[in-house]
């Protein structure tokens, strides 16, 4: 069991014992083991799940040459410079092919998606054709091969269409369905247990006495975990008592792959989480030079990974998105996709003191010239959860930075990439 370093003050701005954000990420990375077991699921059940094996196409898409237009299927070699006339010998509908033969001076009326007759290689759009009885006259410039979608032009039989480790999106569901595949192999879902710590916390439905507040972190965590398709175990609120915390942590670690708590990791008199983690397992670190979210306990209890997030509601979200979410994705077997960052001009002055890497809440917007800019959400207190609701991005600010003037280019991480 590793020791933890007790009691450096949270008020100290340039703390030598804090890890940088990158160091903390690297330490977490070392302990991540992707799940290996898998199950078969019906396609519709698999939305948001991670593929265990690549999807290999059993057929070619499209399965046959078909028309991209409503028009007339012809032989490419029948095309002439001047308007030319052909004899119509039948009609091909989507799903109802024309089964006869088509001579060079003949054509078939054809609908979008209908099979192009074997002898034909070209479709003339109906707007360039004058039809009279069973004779058509073709006008305008035509090119052999035009307006035909070739068999296999999208996917060849045996192609790997989606790799293992890919998380299934709505587009993927349609793609897999287009191959006629109705059941797929996905990784087993991660089981994640979480609870809130704090004597002041009450659950919804309970009356509040003086000094008490409603527990919001369990709701935020539930939402963030559900978006990752984790199998969640909500263990409620645990008071700031050693025995109760130890019991809850032990039970959580028995039942889950990952345990997440909030609160009780700073240096107050009732902040027992780190100590109990050290007694039951191993504490890897608990201070990161970042704001919000400096105290963060990371470790292991038996086979479960443990993240002890700070209690402040914004800190919970920032530390989850920056450390826990990437870890959960990797453990779930998902391939690595770093979140996209953007460089944009800040329209507001940004206050910051040197010493910690900051994740300020920002709003990306278009100015009156249509240029994308960012402004902060205003007050950046780590208890102001509304700042996360109104924000649509984090503004990432380097630890050495000492404030930013309006008009400066800054780095932002849009929330859109976080799900
Ligand atoms: P702590 O990290 O336990 O010292 O908590 C820091 C701050 O976050 C305190 O103001 C707590 O009341 C608040 N807090 C802790 N847990 C929660 C929670 N689950 N929901 C809302 N606020 C919380
Ligand atoms: Mg507390």
């Amino acid at each position: 069991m590793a020791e933890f370093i007790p009691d450096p003050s949270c008020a100290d701005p340039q703390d030598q014992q804090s890890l940088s954000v990158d160091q903390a990420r690297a330490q977490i990375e070392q302990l991540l083991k992707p799940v290996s077991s898998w199950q078969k699921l019906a396609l519709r059940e698999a939305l948001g799940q991670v593929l265990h094996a690549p999807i290999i196409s059993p057929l070619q898409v499209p399965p046959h040459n078909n028309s991209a237009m409503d028009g007339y299927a012809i032989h490419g070699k029948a095309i002439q410079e001047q308007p030319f006339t052909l004899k119509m010998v039948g009609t091909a509908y989507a799903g109802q092919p024309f089964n006869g033969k088509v001579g060079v001076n003949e054509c078939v009326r054809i609908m979008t998606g209908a099979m192009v007759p074997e002898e034909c290689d070209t479709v003339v759009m109906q707007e360039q054709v004058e039809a009279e009885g069973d004779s058509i006259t073709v006008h305008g410039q035509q090119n052999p091969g035009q307006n035909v979608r070739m068999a296999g032009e999208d996917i060849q039989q045996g192609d790997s269409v989606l790799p293992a480790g890919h998380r299934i999106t709505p587009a993927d569901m349609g793609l897999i369905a287009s191959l006629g595949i109705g059941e797929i192999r996905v990784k087993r879902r991660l089981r994640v247990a979480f609870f809130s710590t704090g004597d002041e916390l009450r659950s919804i439905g309970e009356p509040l006495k003086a000094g008490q507040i409603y527990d919001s972190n369990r709701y935020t965590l539930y939402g963030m975990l559900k978006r990752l398709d984790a199998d969640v175990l909500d263990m409620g609120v645990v008071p700031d008592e050693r025995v109760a915390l130890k019991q809850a942590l032990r039970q959580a670690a028995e039942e889950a792959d990952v345990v997440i708590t909030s609160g009780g990791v700073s240096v107050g008199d009732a902040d027992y989480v780190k100590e109990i983690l050290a007694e039951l397992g191993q504490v890897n670190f608990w201070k990161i030079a970042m704001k919000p979210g400096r105290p963060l306990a990371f470790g292991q209890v038996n086979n479960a990974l443990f993240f002890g997030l700070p209690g402040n509601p914004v800190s919970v979200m920032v530390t989850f998105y920056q450390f826990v979410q990437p870890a959960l994705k990797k453990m779930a077997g998902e391939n690595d996709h770093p979140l996209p960052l953007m460089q944009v001009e800040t329209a507001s002055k940004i206050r910051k003191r040197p010493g910690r890497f900051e994740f300020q809440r920002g709003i990306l917007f278009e100015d009156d010239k249509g240029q994308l800019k960012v402004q902060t959400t205003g007050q950046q207190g780590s208890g102001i959860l509304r700042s996360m609701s109104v924000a649509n991005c984090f503004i990432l600010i380097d630890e050495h930075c000492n404030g930013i003037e309006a008009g400066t280019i800054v780095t932002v991480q849009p929330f859109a990439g976080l799900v």
Side-chain angles (χ1 to χ4, degrees):
M1 249 174 254
E3 273 179 65
F4 73 94
I5 308 153
D7 207 24
S9 163
C10 257
D12 176 2
Q14 301 237 356
D15 194 327
Q16 298 304 309
Q17 293 176 11
S18 295
L19 295 181
S20 71
V21 169
D22 286 342
Q23 285 169 329
R25 286 202 177 110
Q27 282 210 20
I28 293 172
E29 181 89 20
Q30 284 175 9
L31 289 191
L32 303 177
K33 291 188 206 87
V35 294
S36 53
S37 49
W38 55 274
Q39 57 175 335
K40 266 194 176 167
L41 283 185
L43 185 50
R44 283 197 176 164
E45 306 302 314
L47 181 64
Q49 306 285 306
V50 177
L51 278 178
H52 174 71
I55 300 288
I56 306 293
S57 180
L59 40 84
Q60 56 177 1
V61 179
H64 46 258
N65 296 351
N66 69 96
S67 179
M69 299 272 179
D70 291 331
Y72 296 84
I74 67 170
H75 288 243
K77 54 180 180 278
I79 294 172
Q80 291 169 30
E81 295 278 315
Q82 303 299 318
F84 57 96
T85 300
L86 300 171
K87 182 172 179 237
M88 191 169 75
V89 294
T91 303
Y93 294 96
Q96 286 178 45
F98 170 76
N99 289 322
K101 293 274 174 218
V102 187
V104 178
N105 295 315
E106 293 175 340
C107 68
V108 163
R109 173 94 174 105
I110 193 163
M111 310 305 159
T112 304
M115 235 172 120
V116 174
E118 208 177 315
E119 302 82 19
C120 299
D121 56 8
T122 302
V123 170
V124 177
M125 62 198 285
Q126 63 187 21
E127 289 79 356
Q128 294 181 321
V129 166
E130 248 176 274
E132 217 185 309
D134 62 357
S135 154
I136 69 163
T137 304
V138 178
H139 299 272
Q141 163 83 35
Q142 309 297 336
N143 298 305
Q146 71 189 15
N147 301 330
V148 175
R149 301 189 284 221
M150 301 302 287
E153 74 175 19
D154 188 1
I155 298 167
Q156 292 288 334
Q157 189 178 351
D159 275 358
S160 171
V161 176
L162 292 168
H166 181 84
R167 202 180 277 272
I168 300 294
T169 66
D172 302 330
M173 294 185 54
L175 181 61
I176 295 168
S178 76
L179 306 177
I181 298 174
E183 228 184 23
I184 57 177
R185 280 191 274 171
V186 295
K187 309 270 186 200
R188 89 164 161 84
R189 293 153 93 196
L190 280 187
R191 182 127 170 99
V192 182
F194 60 97
F195 58 88
S196 295
T197 72
D199 287 340
E200 76 282 26
L201 303 176
R202 287 294 167 274
S203 294
I204 297 172
E206 295 174 0
L208 292 185
K209 296 200 189 107
Q212 297 180 336
I213 57 171
Y214 286 117
D215 173 8
S216 59
N217 290 343
R218 264 164 55 233
Y219 287 82
T220 321
L221 279 170
Y222 177 88
M224 293 189 293
L225 289 166
K226 275 290 175 184
R227 282 227 175 139
L228 292 176
D229 256 291
D231 176 12
V232 298
L233 175 63
D234 180 348
M235 296 178 59
V237 176
V238 178
D240 294 314
E241 290 163 15
R242 284 173 192 280
V243 175
L245 283 167
K246 207 165 177 174
Q247 154 70 18
L249 185 50
R250 196 180 270 137
Q251 186 198 334
E254 258 167 36
E255 296 193 24
D257 302 299
V258 179
V259 179
I260 302 174
T261 63
S262 71
V265 285
S266 47
V267 291
D269 290 343
D271 292 330
Y272 301 129
V273 171
K274 298 184 302 285
E275 287 171 45
I276 285 163
L277 177 60
E279 284 169 32
L280 290 182
Q282 176 188 328
V283 181
N284 287 61
F285 61 79
W286 68 277
K287 276 188 89 177
I288 305 174
M290 66 185 280
K291 189 178 172 187
R294 167 145 57 177
L296 187 150
F298 170 66
Q300 276 173 297
V301 179
N302 300 328
N303 289 325
L305 271 199
F306 176 83
F307 291 91
L309 308 185
N312 274 309
V314 178
S315 308
V316 166
M317 296 199 75
V318 171
T319 51
F320 184 94
Y321 282 138
Q322 298 303 325
F323 300 105
V324 184
Q325 175 157 304
L328 293 182
K329 286 183 165 192
K330 182 130 200 194
M331 287 180 77
E334 186 176 350
N335 299 332
D336 209 18
H337 297 294
L339 294 172
L341 300 178
M342 289 165 60
Q343 306 289 320
V344 297
E345 186 182 314
T346 174
S348 52
K349 183 180 166 110
I350 300 177
R351 295 178 50 178
K352 162 150 187 336
R353 279 188 294 176
R356 292 197 260 166
F357 195 107
E358 291 198 14
F359 296 90
Q360 295 206 6
R361 274 70 68 211
I363 301 171
L364 281 166
F365 68 100
E366 257 181 35
D367 71 5
D368 47 17
K369 295 194 190 73
Q371 197 193 330
L372 194 62
K373 289 191 176 164
V374 71
Q375 66 188 42
T376 74
T377 56
Q379 291 285 347
Q380 295 288 316
S382 58
I384 305 174
L385 191 50
R386 253 193 94 213
S387 72
M388 281 299 295
S389 280
V390 298
N392 59 16
C393 67
F394 287 126
I395 306 173
L396 274 46
I397 314 171
D398 200 73
E399 49 197 273
H400 307 296
C401 171
N402 185 19
I404 298 172
E405 293 302 326
T408 312
I409 300 293
V410 295
T411 302
V412 303
Q413 186 173 54
F415 284 176
L418 291 172
V419 292

